[in-house]
C-alpha cells in the first residue's frame, strides 16, 4: 500500500502491530519520552511528507497522558506536511461524559473532539462509541465501527445452545445494540432497567423479559468497575437463566472489577482487544478476548483506497 504510514502511540502497541501486520505494513518509527517535569515529547522518526498517516492510540491506561501524546503526534505529522492524518482511537476517551446531565456538568467528550480537530486530525476512526451522537461533536468525518460482526462470530462458535439463547441489555440505553444482535441471531431479547444513586453504584434493577431455562448473553459497550453487569448476572440467575455470559466491546476493568467478576456467576466475560487485557486475564480465568484488529485494518485499507467504510457494518472478513 503506497503513500501510507501507520504509527502507534504507547497505549496499545500490541493492537497497533496486529493492524499493521494485517495490512502488510511496518509500524512507523516514533519515539515517545517524558522530560523530568513529566512533559510529553514525541519524535517522528521518518518522513511523512505527502503521506496518508494513521495514528493508533486507544483511550486506556494513563488516559490523560495517552490523549496528550496522541494530540502531539497528530500535530507533529500535520506540520510535517502529511497529506491526511487519521486518528484511530479504538476506545474513545471521555466518551461517557457526552451530555450535560446535571447543573455545571462538563461535556468532556465534546472537548476531546475539539482538541483532536485543533491538533490537526482530518478523520477519526473509532469503535462502539458509548453514545453515537459523539460523532456530531466533530466537524470532520468520523467512522464509528461496530464489534458486532466479531461478537456474532464468537457466539456461534462458542455457545452451542445459541439458537435458544436470549440477548440481554443491562440498561435501557443499550436496547438498540441488543436488538440488532438478537435480530441477526433470530433470538429473543430482554433488558434490565437500573436506577443509580450515584456514578458507578447501582441502586436497584428490574428485569423486563423471560430468561427462565435459557442461556442469557449480556451485551454492553463497556464495563468499568463491573457493578452493573455483576448485579445483572445475579438478577438473570435468580430469574432462572441456565448460564450467563457477558460480551463487552471495551473491558476497562478498574478498581474492584476483577474481584467482582471472579465472584459472579459468569461462564465467561468476553471483551475485544480495544484495551489490553493480558494482565487482567492472569488474575481472572473467565475473561476471554476477541481480536478486532481485522475490522480496524479493513477500515484503514478502505479509507486509504477511498472506499465505503459502512460496508463493514454488515460484512467483514474475520
Amino acid at each position: 500500500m503506497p503513500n501510507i504510514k501507520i504509527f502507534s502511540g504507547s497505549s496499545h502497541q500490541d493492537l497497533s502491530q496486529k493492524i499493521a501486520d494485517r495490512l502488510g505494513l511496518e509500524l512507523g518509527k516514533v519515539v515517545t519520552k517524558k522530560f523530568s517535569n513529566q512533559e510529553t515529547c514525541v519524535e517522528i522518526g521518518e518522513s511523512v511528507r505527502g503521506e496518508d498517516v494513521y495514528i493508533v492510540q486507544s483511550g486506556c491506561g494513563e488516559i490523560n497522558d495517552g490523549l496528550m501524546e496522541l494530540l502531539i503526534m497528530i500535530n507533529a505529522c500535520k506540520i510535517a506536511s502529511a497529506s491526511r492524518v487519521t486518528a484511530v482511537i479504538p476506545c474513545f476517551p471521555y466518551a461517557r461524559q457526552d451530555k450535560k446531565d446535571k447543573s455545571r456538568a462538563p461535556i468532556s467528550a465534546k472537548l476531546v473532539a475539539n482538541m483532536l480537530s485543533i491538533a490537526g486530525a482530518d478523520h477519526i476512526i473509532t469503535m462502539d462509541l458509548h453514545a453515537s451522537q459523539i460523532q456530531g461533536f466533530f466537524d470532520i468525518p468520523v467512522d464509528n465501527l461496530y464489534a458486532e460482526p466479531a461478537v456474532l462470530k464468537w457466539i456461534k462458535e462458542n455457545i452451542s445452545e445459541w439458537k435458544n439463547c436470549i440477548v440481554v441489555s443491562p440498561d435501557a440505553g443499550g436496547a438498540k445494540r441488543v436488538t440488532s444482535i438478537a435480530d441477526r441471531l433470530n433470538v429473543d431479547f430482554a433488558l434490565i432497567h437500573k436506577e443509580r444513586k450515584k456514578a458507578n453504584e447501582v441502586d436497584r434493577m428490574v428485569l423486563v423479559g423471560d430468561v427462565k431455562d435459557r442461556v442469557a448473553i449480556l451485551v454492553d459497550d463497556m464495563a468499568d468497575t463491573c457493578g452493573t453487569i455483576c448485579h445483572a448476572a445475579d438478577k438473570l440467575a435468580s430469574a432462572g437463566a441456565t448460564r450467563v455470559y457477558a460480551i463487552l466491546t471495551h473491558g476497562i476493568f478498574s478498581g474492584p472489577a476483577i474481584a467482582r467478576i471472579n465472584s459472579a456467576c459468569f461462564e465467561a466475560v468476553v471483551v475485544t482487544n480495544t484495551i489490553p487485557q493480558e494482565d487482567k486475564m492472569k488474575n481472572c480465568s473467565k475473561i476471554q478476548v476477541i481480536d478486532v484488529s481485522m475490522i480496524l485494518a479493513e477500515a484503514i485499507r478502505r479509507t486509504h483506497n477511498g472506499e465505503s467504510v459502512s460496508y463493514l457494518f454488515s460484512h467483514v472478513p474475520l
Side-chain angles (χ1 to χ4, degrees):
M1 296 176 71
N3 302 112
I4 181 172
K5 293 283 179 72
I6 298 182
F7 295 96
S8 174
S10 60
S11 68
H12 199 347
Q13 293 182 337
D14 179 62
L15 178 60
S16 303
Q17 187 62 60
K18 287 179 178 177
I19 292 170
D21 290 344
R22 288 185 181 275
L23 292 170
L25 301 170
E26 291 187 4
L27 287 175
K29 297 174 183 176
V30 59
V31 176
T32 304
K33 58 187 177 183
K34 284 192 175 183
F35 295 125
S36 59
N37 67 348
Q38 298 305 301
E39 283 184 4
T40 299
C41 176
V42 175
E43 297 175 5
I44 306 298
E46 55 192 85
S47 174
V48 295
R49 183 178 295 275
E51 300 279 0
D52 190 11
V53 174
Y54 296 83
I55 302 171
V56 183
Q57 180 84 311
S58 199
C60 56
E62 298 291 336
I63 291 176
N64 295 329
D65 286 348
L67 177 58
M68 195 67 209
E69 182 182 295
L70 174 61
L71 296 170
I72 294 172
M73 290 178 73
I74 291 169
N75 189 251
C77 291
K78 197 66 179 178
I79 63 177
S81 301
S83 66
R84 178 174 62 180
V85 180
T86 299
V88 182
I89 313 173
C91 180
F92 194 86
Y94 292 91
R96 285 176 287 184
Q97 299 181 44
D98 62 325
K99 58 184 176 292
K100 190 170 183 177
D101 54 359
K102 56 188 175 184
S103 297
R104 298 173 296 282
I107 307 177
S108 302
K110 168 63 172 169
L111 175 62
V112 172
N114 290 342
M115 292 165 70
L116 289 165
S117 297
I118 290 170
D122 300 298
H123 180 209
I124 305 292
I125 295 175
T126 187
M127 178 167 279
D128 272 347
L129 283 170
H130 186 63
S132 57
Q133 70 261 23
I134 291 174
Q135 295 171 86
F137 293 168
F138 290 89
D139 293 321
I140 57 176
V142 178
D143 285 312
N144 180 28
L145 307 177
Y146 296 102
E148 184 178 301
V151 168
L152 292 168
K153 182 172 184 285
W154 188 94
I155 291 172
K156 291 178 179 179
E157 290 179 353
N158 294 276
I159 302 178
S160 56
E161 311 94 332
W162 67 266
K163 291 183 179 179
N164 189 40
C165 73
I166 184 165
V167 187
V168 185
S169 172
D171 55 38
K176 187 175 180 181
R177 182 183 302 107
V178 162
T179 53
S180 176
I181 292 174
D183 288 346
R184 296 282 292 276
L185 293 173
N186 196 26
V187 299
D188 294 333
F189 72 93
L191 63 86
I192 294 173
H193 173 67
K194 65 182 180 182
E195 295 178 356
R196 290 185 186 272
K197 285 181 177 178
K198 56 184 180 181
N200 290 332
E201 186 177 320
V202 177
D203 182 20
R204 90 187 168 97
M205 290 184 155
V206 179
L207 174 63
V208 182
D210 182 17
V211 300
K212 187 173 176 59
D213 299 326
R214 303 169 83 174
V215 174
I217 305 173
L218 277 163
V219 176
D220 207 354
D221 66 313
M222 66 171 61
D224 189 354
T225 58
C226 292
T228 297
I229 63 164
C230 289
H231 276 104
D234 292 341
K235 190 75 178 177
L236 294 169
S238 64
T242 56
R243 287 187 289 164
V244 181
Y245 293 84
I247 301 182
L248 316 157
T249 304
H250 310 297
I252 300 170
F253 301 149
S254 65
I258 298 300
R260 285 175 174 173
I261 292 172
N262 282 328
S263 60
C265 59
F266 292 113
E267 286 288 318
V269 175
V270 184
V271 296
T272 72
N273 60 340
T274 58
I275 294 174
Q277 300 295 342
E278 289 76 13
D279 292 341
K280 313 249 174 55
M281 292 174 72
K282 292 176 184 176
N283 298 315
C284 183
S285 60
K286 296 179 182 179
I287 296 176
Q288 298 183 33
V289 176
I290 300 172
D291 182 18
V292 292
S293 62
M294 175 55 82
I295 298 175
L296 293 164
E298 184 69 7
I300 290 172
R301 187 188 70 78
R302 287 180 166 274
T303 300
H304 179 66
N305 292 336
E307 301 172 13
S308 171
V309 175
S310 61
Y311 179 85
L312 294 173
F313 297 164
S314 56
H315 305 82
V316 62
L318 296 169

